[in-house]
Amino acid sequence: MTQLSVTETVDSLKARFPDTPFIALGQTVFWDEPVKAAWRMILDSLWPEAKMIAGVHDTDYFAKSTTLVASDDEFVLLPHNDGPTRGLWSAAGELSTLFGSEDVPTRATYESHGVPFAQLASAYPGGKKAFYEDKTEAWGWRGIVHTGSDSLVAHDVPLSKFGPVLLHELAWGFGAAVQSIAEADRDASASYCSQVVAWVTEYIEAHPSGNLTDLYKHLLPRFYEALLGQAPANFGTTNSLELFRFNSQTQALARFDVVDLFLGPATRETCISAYNHAVTGGGMYALDTFGEGALPFDVVVSGRGRGTLRVTPTGIAIEFTGGAREIATKSPIETRKALAALLEATFGNEVALVGKAVSLINMLAAEFIVLFHETASGYTPRTAAMNDAIRAAGIPLNLKPIVRIAYPTWDALATAKVATKVTLPPHLAACFQTSGEIAAAEFGSNWRDVVAIQKTNLMQINAARKPRAVLDMLSKRDATASCWSCMTADYERALTSLASNAAECADRKSRIDLLRQHIHLDTQARHLAEESKGEDFRAALRKLIDQRLIAAPTEVPALDDQIRLEESRRIKTFDVTINGCQDRIRSAKAEIRRLRAECRAIERSHLCIENRKTLSEITTQVDLARTDVIRAAYITREALPHTNARPSAWWLPTLDPTGNWFRAIVDGTEARLEVV
């Protein structure tokens, strides 16, 4: 398929869907959602009368802590790492400082590149916990989590408790960003950040009983205005609790058409089968996992929570976190109108019905052209698979396409010739090979090459597993640092000395091996002689002894003489061989003990101990250096492409108060239509 230009994309949408508004939903205003002001600017140029709605997705549960938090506060600010906060997710309360992202270099990442992670962690100053925090933490990211035992949907998060932690988060993220900007350019950046903090503070103070949704809806148009340079036209705000309010007055809206398909007897089984097939293998759950009659919709009741809807022949049930709410009916619920009436009678007209991830897109695309950034919402291929199966069964779907927006975020710094200078965080500074300030335009010109180099670096360090190879790589990477060449010399010196000692021990060990072979042969010869001696005793001497026992007294002296002669013969024939073997075995064992003692003396000498200590210390330093190189390369390789696709909106006026960066992003924006 030929790639359409942005102009062609807008013209196509204008012709096909002239009255359809665009919608952008996000869980926080402090990440990438407001950057969709770029699309508003494009529309202002190509289709100014088009309506655009920015919304707060506030019907998901607010993040909870995945670990015990030593705090009496209901909301706390946490980093994300592969240790204490493994599995942390905080979409509605996250913030990345300038250049930051939620990219965690995991333990598995390090181990796959040859780092003995557990060994380093156990010997690390501060212990294992400190090692995880220092080496696996996502750089420049923090998330607010709820510590209470109850579960809150984002809409129910009170500003009175959330607000102070949010202001603390902003102070951290904004402060770090402003401090990274050169002093000559810092005032305007600090002014903008202070303005955002003022918006938040003033709203919290004026609305003590407000919630997270209220604040974010208040901020959305302000972020758009800051980027556009003027108040956005044909622009409105919403939130998902309002958008999906489901009652007798709203149930006829097209966004709820898909609900009828999952309720109607003629289409229900087909749609459920299509959904289950689409989620198979994606780490998602088939509907029967949620219980009998489960549908891909959640009922959201403010103050109560969110729960999967189940519809059975005898009524409905909503599986809230705190327990199921069952509602009996006289007849099965088979239409959205009946479902809306029942939910409204039970919970009031503020109840919402929200599709699960795969079915949510169908609800939105029935009435809106959804705006997604590239890499956002990885569920859409599964939605498309579900819809393909539904259409194949002859069930029509009237859905608008999704618009995928791709920004040239970092490239636009060069295009706009942004002169602001920044001090890069340590991992980026290492990868950009700078220890001081760098012009934003230079960063924009070089970032793609730097990412490519880091991909190569990770492959090289994966191949360089031995300390010598890593030392050689580190020396070439940082030719100005004499420490690596000195360390290489110390390593080679210790290794050579130990090799010489090992050669001395090897000669002795070879002699020990030869002596063991002789002991084995002599032991076999001794056993053979002892067996022969026994057989000879039974064949000759035993007869004489038995005769003596029954012989007459006159015959005994002659028999005794014969016995003595036999014993003398046996000594010469057998005992000499046996004793000779035993003497040689004893002598060989004594020699082995002496050679072993010499080996121990060599191996335990002060020089050997010091050499082994040197090798151990250098190996640990090399592994720690390898860890730091991997961390820098991994975060750079992952974070820059991710933030290029989805930058935090507040970064743009913070780094470039002139607005040139944003306008260059708009000029270079690409878009494609994604059919679901």
Side-chain angles (χ1 to χ4, degrees):
M1 181 181 294
T2 303
Q3 178 68 43
L4 300 178
S5 68
V6 169
T7 300
E8 291 170 330
T9 299
V10 172
D11 287 344
S12 172
L13 293 171
K14 183 177 180 180
R16 295 165 60 196
F17 312 106
D19 300 318
T20 302
F22 293 88
I23 193 166
L25 277 179
Q27 293 187 313
T28 177
V29 299
F30 293 106
W31 189 23
D32 63 320
E33 274 306 309
V35 185
K36 290 172 184 172
W39 191 253
R40 180 66 265 177
M41 183 173 278
I42 289 170
L43 291 176
D44 289 342
S45 172
L46 302 174
W47 188 8
E49 63 273 21
K51 185 177 180 181
M52 183 170 170
I53 302 169
V56 180
H57 188 46
D58 62 350
T59 47
D60 277 349
Y61 277 113
F62 192 83
K64 287 182 68 67
S65 173
T66 57
T67 185
L68 294 176
V69 178
S71 174
D72 296 328
D73 297 325
E74 193 169 341
F75 295 90
V76 297
L77 187 64
L78 295 176
H80 188 186
N81 56 50
D82 196 34
T85 57
R86 181 186 296 111
L88 178 67
W89 176 84
S90 178
E94 68 175 316
L95 184 80
S96 296
T97 193
L98 184 60
F99 301 117
S101 73
E102 196 184 5
D103 287 290
V104 173
T106 63
R107 170 176 176 165
T109 300
Y110 288 117
E111 290 180 336
S112 69
H113 288 83
V115 172
F117 195 92
Q119 180 181 328
L120 291 178
S122 63
Y124 194 70
K128 179 179 178 180
K129 181 175 180 289
F131 190 73
Y132 271 96
E133 290 172 347
D134 290 348
K135 304 304 180 184
T136 71
E137 186 174 296
W139 187 90
W141 184 94
R142 292 290 184 275
I144 300 173
V145 300
H146 179 224
T147 64
S149 58
D150 55 328
S151 296
L152 297 175
V153 293
H155 180 271
D156 293 334
V157 172
L159 280 184
S160 59
K161 295 180 178 179
F162 175 74
V165 187
L166 174 62
L167 288 170
H168 177 57
E169 183 180 47
L170 296 181
W172 164 80
F174 288 4
V178 171
Q179 285 302 309
S180 71
I181 294 172
E183 191 170 352
D185 303 314
R186 194 173 294 167
D187 288 347
S189 300
S191 176
Y192 172 72
C193 288
S194 296
Q195 179 63 70
V196 175
V197 172
W199 293 338
V200 175
T201 303
E202 291 166 4
Y203 189 88
I204 292 173
E205 291 175 350
H207 302 82
S209 60
N211 58 30
L212 175 150
T213 301
D214 299 331
L215 173 63
Y216 284 1
K217 286 176 71 174
H218 173 73
L219 294 174
L220 269 171
R222 285 159 177 78
F223 277 117
Y224 271 70
E225 183 174 350
L227 294 174
L228 294 170
Q230 60 185 11
N234 290 319
F235 178 83
T237 61
T238 188
N239 57 287
S240 55
L241 191 67
E242 174 185 305
L243 190 68
F244 299 112
R245 188 166 290 135
F246 188 63
N247 53 45
S248 57
Q249 299 300 310
T250 64
Q251 57 83 24
L253 293 170
R255 67 196 68 169
F256 298 114
D257 287 352
V258 67
V259 179
D260 261 344
L261 296 181
F262 279 88
L263 286 173
T267 54
R268 182 177 179 180
E269 292 304 319
T270 296
C271 291
I272 288 175
S273 176
Y275 179 93
N276 288 339
H277 181 73
V279 301
T280 300
M284 304 173 71
Y285 299 106
L287 290 174
D288 57 6
T289 307
F290 299 99
E292 180 191 1
L295 298 182
F297 306 100
D298 288 346
V299 175
V300 183
V301 181
S302 183
R304 179 67 186 270
R306 174 173 177 151
T308 297
L309 173 67
R310 294 195 295 110
V311 178
T312 67
T314 58
I316 70 170
I318 300 114
E319 301 294 334
F320 291 114
T321 302
R325 174 67 186 275
E326 298 184 2
I327 307 167
T329 59
K330 293 181 180 180
S331 58
I333 299 295
E334 296 179 343
T335 67
R336 58 177 162 177
K337 185 176 181 179
L339 178 62
L342 181 61
L343 290 175
E344 184 174 9
T346 306
F347 299 107
N349 63 4
E350 298 294 309
V351 65
L353 186 67
V354 184
K356 293 183 182 296
V358 171
S359 51
L360 176 63
I361 301 299
N362 279 20
M363 299 181 77
L364 290 169
E367 289 186 49
F368 306 96
I369 299 171
V370 180
L371 298 174
F372 276 148
H373 289 148
E374 290 290 0
T375 76
S377 186
Y379 299 113
T380 54
R382 298 188 180 277
T383 300
M386 176 185 74
N387 291 342
D388 287 345
I390 291 173
R391 293 185 182 105
I395 302 171
L397 295 172
N398 183 22
L399 303 175
K400 282 72 176 175
I402 292 168
V403 175
R404 286 281 183 183
I405 308 170
Y407 303 127
T409 302
W410 298 125
D411 306 276
L413 286 171
T415 305
K417 299 179 180 178
V418 178
T420 306
K421 291 186 177 180
V422 293
T423 299
L424 297 178
H427 64 281
L428 287 179
C431 295
F432 276 79
Q433 297 185 334
T434 178
S435 58
E437 296 176 345
I438 181 174
E442 182 182 350
F443 180 94
S445 296
N446 296 329
W447 80 274
R448 291 186 184 276
D449 289 339
V450 169
V451 168
I453 290 170
Q454 299 321 304
K455 291 178 180 178
T456 301
N457 285 345
L458 285 171
M459 288 189 289
Q460 289 176 341
I461 204 162
N462 188 46
R465 296 299 180 105
K466 300 294 184 181
R468 278 172 163 165
V470 179
L471 281 167
D472 182 60
M473 185 191 68
L474 293 171
S475 298
K476 292 176 180 177
R477 187 182 304 275
D478 188 5
T480 60
S482 60
C483 60
W484 297 121
S485 56
C486 292
M487 202 177 291
T488 301
D490 291 343
Y491 187 87
E492 293 294 345
R493 190 180 304 111
L495 206 60
T496 299
S497 179
L498 285 174
S500 175
N501 294 332
E504 292 184 52
C505 289
D507 176 66
R508 288 165 172 78
K509 289 175 181 178
S510 295
R511 291 161 60 189
I512 288 172
D513 289 341
L514 185 60
L515 287 168
R516 283 174 175 163
Q517 293 177 24
H518 289 164
I519 288 172
H520 175 71
L521 294 174
D522 279 327
T523 300
Q524 287 183 320
R526 183 190 65 190
H527 288 162
L528 183 61
E530 288 171 343
E531 289 175 0
S532 298
K533 183 178 179 181
E535 292 174 358
D536 181 81
F537 174 80
R538 289 185 292 275
L541 194 58
R542 166 59 66 186
K543 292 180 180 180
L544 292 174
I545 293 173
D546 290 343
Q547 290 178 16
R548 188 181 184 284
L549 291 175
I550 61 175
T554 56
E555 296 174 345
V556 168
L559 289 171
D560 285 342
D561 289 340
Q562 290 183 46
I563 289 171
R564 282 193 293 273
L565 287 172
E566 281 298 316
E567 287 178 341
S568 176
R569 178 186 63 79
R570 283 165 52 79
I571 289 172
K572 294 177 182 178
T573 304
F574 302 110
D575 287 1
V576 170
T577 300
I578 292 170
N579 291 337
C581 288
Q582 192 61 44
D583 288 344
R584 288 192 298 275
I585 290 171
R586 191 180 299 111
S587 176
K589 288 182 175 180
E591 181 65 5
I592 287 173
R593 287 193 295 272
R594 185 185 70 79
L595 291 172
R596 281 178 173 172
E598 289 181 359
C599 284
R600 285 195 297 272
I602 293 170
E603 292 168 348
R604 297 176 185 178
S605 68
H606 176 74
L607 180 60
C608 275
I609 291 172
E610 287 301 310
N611 284 332
R612 282 194 293 271
K613 181 181 178 183
T614 296
L615 291 182
S616 176
E617 289 174 348
I618 290 176
T619 299
T620 298
Q621 291 181 63
V622 166
D623 284 333
L624 286 172
R626 183 208 302 266
T627 302
D628 291 338
V629 171
I630 292 168
R631 175 175 172 78
Y634 176 85
I635 296 177
T636 299
R637 183 194 71 180
E638 297 297 311
L640 290 186
H642 290 169
T643 51
N644 183 68
R646 303 175 71 181
S648 293
W650 65 269
W651 291 358
L652 308 183
T654 298
L655 185 58
D656 178 37
T658 70
N660 290 334
W661 183 17
F662 176 68
R663 286 186 287 274
I665 289 174
V666 174
D667 290 342
T669 292
E670 296 179 351
R672 63 181 175 88
L673 299 182
E674 182 177 336
V675 176
V676 292

